[in-house]
Amino acid sequence: MEGGNTRTAASSYLAWSILNTLFCCLPLGIAAIVYSCKVQNANAVGDSVVATDASRTAKNLNIVSLVCGIILIIILVAVQVTARQH
C-alpha cells in the first residue's frame, strides 16, 4: 500500500454461489462458482480490475440462478396443487 493508496478486495460471493448450485440452478451455480474463484485469485494477486469484473459477473449469475430457482419452485408447487385437485 504505497503512497497511501488503499485497495479493497472485491466480494467473491462464493458462499452464495455454492448455495445456489445446491438449491437453485446447478449450471448457473457452477458458473458462479467459477467466477467467484476468479475473484479470489485476482484479489490474491492484486488485480482489482479483473476481480471487480469477475465479482460483478458472479453476482449477476447468482441473481439469475436464484430467480430461476424461485420460478421453478413456484411452478412445481402449482403443478402439485393442480394435480391434487383432479
Side-chain angles (χ1 to χ4, degrees), residues 12-58:
S12 70
Y13 303 107
L14 184 60
W16 190 13
S17 300
I18 292 170
L19 291 174
N20 274 334
T21 302
L22 295 174
F23 299 115
C24 293
C25 183
L26 183 68
L28 291 174
I30 290 172
I33 288 173
V34 169
Y35 279 96
S36 295
C37 290
K38 284 184 181 182
V39 173
Q40 290 181 336
N41 292 339
N43 280 334
V45 298
D47 193 348
S48 62
V49 174
V50 172
T52 303
D53 186 48
S55 176
R56 186 178 305 114
T57 302

Side-chain angles (χ1 to χ4, degrees), residues 47-76:
D47 193 348
S48 62
V49 174
V50 172
T52 303
D53 186 48
S55 176
R56 186 178 305 114
T57 302
K59 180 180 178 181
N60 290 338
L61 285 169
N62 279 315
I63 291 170
V64 171
S65 178
L66 182 63
V67 170
C68 287
I70 290 170
I71 290 171
L72 182 62
I73 289 170
I74 291 170
I75 290 171
L76 290 174

